[in-house]
Amino acid sequence: MKHLFKVAIAAAIGLAIGSAAQAQSALNEILDSGVMKVGTTGDWNPMSLRDPATNSYKGYDIDIMNALAADLGVEVEYVPTDWKTLVNGVVAGKYHITGSASISPPRLKVAGFSDSYISVELFPYTTKDKADKFDGYASINKPDVKVATTLGTTFEKRVREWFPDADIKVVEAPARGFQEVLAGRADVFITSNIEGSTLEAKFPVVRVKNAGPRAPSPIAMLLPQDDQVWINYVNSWIEVKKAQGFFDENQKRWGL
């Protein structure tokens, strides 16, 4: 009996230790290792842009992550990802946190979000030479109009909802819907007002006339859903940084 009791106690202790290890917060892991792993796509201008030559990143998101890491006293390791695997990466523990992502019900089912610190609205865009062909959303929702979008993005979901009668062309990252339009392989793409303004300044693209903003969406960081310790830390950090004016200054820096 004593032997069985000892075995049972040892098993219970082992189970408790294993559960404690599993329950350890990402915050503890980051502080212990000295590294915060951040998932980012590097293709959302001006939020996150990757320079292939140097494998370095810049953008609104990158400034936020660098500031968060600095306040934690750790280094940042940027982990390349794409939109269709962004959520899976944080769920699988490939990174501790992501850059900005739209808060959506499908994502909320499997991942946690920080408090929001910026929001976006969506617009349809076309090239200047095709601008006169479109007037409002109904003019896009036609079989002879090719609408390009990127697999796994919230844009893809909206394109399918808004333009069910259009010819929808889905490309996989790192390809982007706007690139298909610029190359003449599609007519229209949708994106946020944030990225859209950057593209308008750089390329011959314009908003479709009389197509107002749709789908206002709060933006936040993705985190492990069951890690309330880490979520609480990030949310408190966001509140402090908001009070200090950090987010306002960062938006101005990137023209948002």
Side-chain angles (χ1 to χ4, degrees):
M1 286 291 292
K2 287 184 179 180
H3 175 70
L4 291 175
F5 180 74
K6 289 180 179 179
V7 171
I9 290 296
I13 292 173
L15 181 61
I17 292 173
S19 297
Q22 290 178 356
Q24 184 184 40
S25 171
L27 178 60
N28 303 111
E29 183 179 318
I30 291 165
L31 294 174
D32 290 344
S33 67
V35 177
M36 181 178 73
K37 295 182 180 180
V38 178
T40 189
T41 61
D43 67 352
W44 186 12
N45 190 8
M47 308 300 276
S48 172
L49 284 171
R50 176 178 172 270
D51 182 349
T54 61
N55 198 33
S56 61
Y57 292 83
K58 66 179 181 179
Y60 174 85
D61 278 356
I62 307 307
D63 286 352
I64 291 174
M65 292 302 161
N66 288 343
L68 175 57
D71 286 341
L72 281 165
V74 301
E75 300 295 322
V76 183
E77 178 185 336
Y78 289 105
V79 181
T81 185
D82 56 44
W83 292 106
K84 68 178 183 294
T85 60
L86 183 69
V87 176
N88 293 339
V90 78
V91 172
K94 292 182 178 180
Y95 29 82
H96 304 112
I97 192 170
T98 74
S100 297
S102 299
I103 300 175
S104 67
R107 288 172 173 169
L108 284 167
K109 290 178 183 178
V110 295
F113 276 95
S114 71
D115 290 341
S116 178
Y117 41 84
I118 194 171
S119 62
V120 299
E121 297 174 318
L122 303 186
F123 291 86
Y125 291 80
T126 187
T127 48
K128 288 182 178 180
D129 61 314
K130 295 180 180 178
D132 291 339
K133 295 181 180 180
F134 302 106
D135 189 347
Y137 284 90
S139 67
I140 303 170
N141 190 32
K142 295 180 178 180
D144 61 342
V145 177
K146 190 179 290 294
V147 182
T149 189
T150 306
L151 181 67
T153 61
T154 54
F155 303 149
E156 180 194 1
K157 181 175 182 291
R158 297 301 184 186
V159 162
R160 295 189 185 280
E161 288 177 356
W162 298 345
F163 312 119
D165 296 332
D167 181 5
I168 298 172
K169 181 177 183 179
V170 180
V171 296
E172 289 200 44
R176 293 290 307 279
F178 77 84
Q179 293 171 334
E180 295 299 299
V181 173
L182 287 172
R185 294 187 291 267
D187 305 304
V188 174
F189 68 95
I190 68 167
T191 191
S192 66
N193 55 309
I194 289 175
E195 182 176 54
S197 61
T198 302
L199 293 175
E200 283 182 301
K202 190 174 182 180
F203 301 109
V205 299
V206 292
R207 289 182 185 176
V208 171
K209 62 184 177 182
N210 296 319
R214 282 188 175 181
S217 176
I219 297 296
M221 309 165 197
L222 280 161
L223 305 105
Q225 190 179 58
D226 59 354
D227 194 344
Q228 198 59 53
V229 171
W230 181 219
I231 293 172
N232 288 346
Y233 178 89
V234 173
N235 284 344
S236 296
W237 181 85
I238 289 171
E239 285 303 306
V240 170
K241 289 298 187 181
K242 280 183 177 179
Q244 294 175 346
F246 167 76
F247 284 95
D248 288 340
E249 290 172 5
N250 201 34
Q251 284 182 229
K252 289 178 183 177
R253 179 183 178 189
W254 292 101
L256 305 181

